[in-house]
Amino acid sequence: MRAGSHILLIISGGIAAFKALDLIRRLRERGATVTPVMTAAAGEFVTPLSVSALAGRQVYQDLFDLTAEAEMGHIELSRAADLIVVAPATANVMAKMAQGICDDLATTLLLATDKRVLIAPSMNVRMWDHAATQRNLAQLKADGVLVVGPTEGDMACGEYGPGRMAEPLEIVTAIDDALSSGPLKGKRIVVTSGPTHEPIDPVRYIANRSSGAQGTALAAALVALGAEVVFVTGPADVPPPAGVAVRKVETAQQMLKATQDALPADAVVCAAAVADWRVANAGTQKMKKMGTALPSLDFAENPDILATVSQMTDGRPALVVGFAAETEHVLDHATAKRARKGCDWIVANDVSPETGIMGGSDNEVTLITGDGPEHWPRMTKDQTARKLAARIAEALA
Ligand code: CTP
């Protein structure tokens, strides 16, 4: 399992709920983060305290819990997850899922999510065999829900047959399979992100205000779709996402080399805010004040990573995507930039201070492809990233 995978684990009220504790432990041993959600009935079988202690985080139980909602809204809970796992999934929860009923936190999350869902059914054999449950199961499978188990064996109720929840290790394997599949499975994508630092001397540098948020969100979204991502990052404010191969660099020249070293790749996305110039006469020692004389810096042009990759004659990635952060004439400048650099797509945005985009959590972009511009509404950088990742998956399919 990819370290840092984020599982939203919904525990519903069946006797097998006690096995969810072992499942949490196994997942955490493998480096996953588990956010637990319990239905009211689950609380009859395991205590929130044991679940929270094993998960190492808060248990979410109540749809109308104002404190929890203020910390992380219930919609946000599923957004952060790579996969939603329902273990145990009772006949009742399966029935609600199949019908789209949302009358508590767990079922509301299940209806509000666009993430993949894996269920581990657990119930009495007659309930499992009942036509209603089998109908619901068929509907859930048709809806794309993944299913592990149930297995056959002695049941807590004294009967024998199918209905026992799969063992925690089988569920871990099913989670592994689910996480490593996705439309970008087998695709290698290089993402550049963050600012670059161009030294003036050993203690000073020229930088820019890029936080690295959009590149990081994009890399995470690509990983979530199954891509193998090499993340070439300058000194960003936000940490690299989980599940990527990180290449830390400082300067534009280092970023170009790290990007080229990461090739061949199916796609390269240049989200970094690369400094256009470096200081040609950077000092090897700290520059000292020279009386009243001001220092003079000579600049040299930095290599353009996006243009270099776009114009490769041998082994060019099938898709090269750039960003164009502009403050005026956004479409004209971005369209010209796409042509000048030779990339396939440009994601253009207006970063004028009044938009609040630079350093903020939202973005509003226009995707410019060979077919022309396509404006996307304002949304969070995470949502923009997921939409772009989905488009990349379509293009590489
Ligand atoms: N880019 C790059 N290497 C550079 C400069 C830019 O890879 N040396 C990439 C960025 O990652 C981004 C795109 O080119 O994907 C556009 O960057 P931007 O800074 O907007 O464009 P510039 O080339 O600097 O053009 P201008 O200064 O005219 O806006």
Side-chain angles (χ1 to χ4, degrees):
M1 179 170 310
R2 217 178 58 224
S5 299
H6 191 151
I7 310 295
L8 184 76
L9 175 64
I10 294 177
I11 306 171
S12 67
I15 185 72
F18 76 94
K19 289 195 205 170
L21 298 176
D22 191 32
L23 176 61
I24 294 173
R25 191 172 65 85
R26 306 274 184 185
L27 288 169
R28 291 199 66 205
E29 270 170 10
R30 287 161 177 74
T33 300
V34 181
T35 300
V37 173
M38 290 172 67
T39 63
E44 303 291 333
F45 296 92
V46 284
T47 70
L49 189 61
S50 4
V51 173
S52 155
L54 280 164
R57 23 173 63 209
Q58 177 187 353
V59 179
Y60 294 84
Q61 292 175 281
D62 188 353
L63 187 54
F64 302 109
D65 178 340
L66 284 181
T67 320
E69 195 67 15
E71 279 166 14
M72 190 188 278
H74 63 270
I75 303 285
E76 204 53 45
L77 264 181
S78 70
R79 278 205 192 119
D82 297 311
L83 183 71
I84 300 189
V85 177
V86 190
T90 58
N92 185 41
V93 161
M94 286 176 61
K96 287 187 193 176
M97 285 174 74
Q99 294 304 318
I101 294 172
C102 46
D103 58 359
D104 61 4
L105 178 62
T107 46
T108 303
L109 285 171
L110 286 162
L111 196 65
T113 190
D114 57 357
K115 297 299 169 68
R116 279 174 310 153
V117 178
L118 169 74
I119 62 170
S122 163
M123 64 200 73
N124 164 277
V125 56
R126 289 178 211 286
M127 291 169 84
W128 176 253
D129 283 339
H130 196 285
T133 303
Q134 291 303 314
R135 234 179 6 247
N136 292 334
L137 178 69
Q139 181 61 56
L140 290 173
K141 284 185 175 168
D143 293 343
V145 171
L146 306 166
V147 185
V148 52
T151 55
E152 200 170 298
D154 287 324
M155 315 206 80
C157 50
E159 295 190 64
Y160 181 93
R164 264 165 60 131
M165 186 171 90
E167 292 303 320
L169 281 179
E170 291 171 62
I171 301 177
V172 168
T173 306
I175 291 173
D176 258 340
D177 288 349
L179 288 175
S180 63
S181 60
L184 285 172
K185 187 173 163 63
K187 303 290 181 193
R188 181 177 165 90
I189 302 183
V190 182
V191 177
T192 72
S193 182
T196 62
H197 284 182
E198 307 296 331
I200 295 172
D201 66 21
V203 296
R204 303 182 179 91
Y205 55 82
I206 296 175
N208 61 64
R209 292 186 196 280
S210 165
S211 64
Q214 187 63 84
T216 302
L218 180 65
L222 292 167
V223 168
L225 295 185
E228 174 198 351
V229 174
V230 182
F231 187 65
V232 181
T233 177
D237 294 343
V238 293
V244 300
V246 182
R247 305 280 181 270
K248 285 193 178 167
V249 298
E250 294 222 335
T251 66
Q253 287 177 307
Q254 292 167 356
M255 190 173 270
L256 174 65
K257 173 148 193 333
T259 303
Q260 288 173 324
D261 288 349
L263 298 177
D266 298 286
V268 170
V269 184
C270 291
V274 185
D276 291 321
W277 307 282
R278 66 180 176 279
V279 180
N281 59 341
T284 51
Q285 303 298 330
K286 184 181 171 196
M287 284 166 71
K288 305 300 284 180
K289 283 198 279 291
M290 304 165 291
T292 53
L294 296 175
S296 136
L297 300 181
D298 295 335
F299 286 96
E301 193 165 344
N302 266 332
D304 190 314
I305 302 159
L306 178 61
T308 307
V309 174
S310 298
Q311 291 163 27
M312 283 170 66
T313 45
D314 201 11
R316 182 193 190 275
L319 182 68
V320 184
V321 183
F323 280 72
E326 308 289 345
T327 54
E328 58 175 358
H329 310 302
V330 179
L331 270 192
D332 289 348
H333 283 169
T335 306
K337 204 169 269 183
R338 173 175 174 269
R340 191 170 68 241
K341 302 205 183 203
C343 57
D344 302 297
W345 298 353
I346 277 263
V347 184
N349 61 0
D350 184 345
V351 292
S352 312
E354 60 273 19
T355 63
I357 283 174
M358 203 82 172
S361 56
D362 282 357
N363 208 347
E364 182 172 344
V365 307
T366 300
L367 176 67
I368 304 175
T369 69
D371 297 332
E374 181 186 315
H375 184 76
W376 294 356
R378 192 176 176 110
M379 52 185 124
T380 65
K381 286 184 177 169
D382 282 345
Q383 288 168 322
T384 308
R386 283 200 290 272
K387 195 166 159 91
L388 185 58
R391 289 295 290 266
I392 291 173
E394 269 172 39
L396 294 182

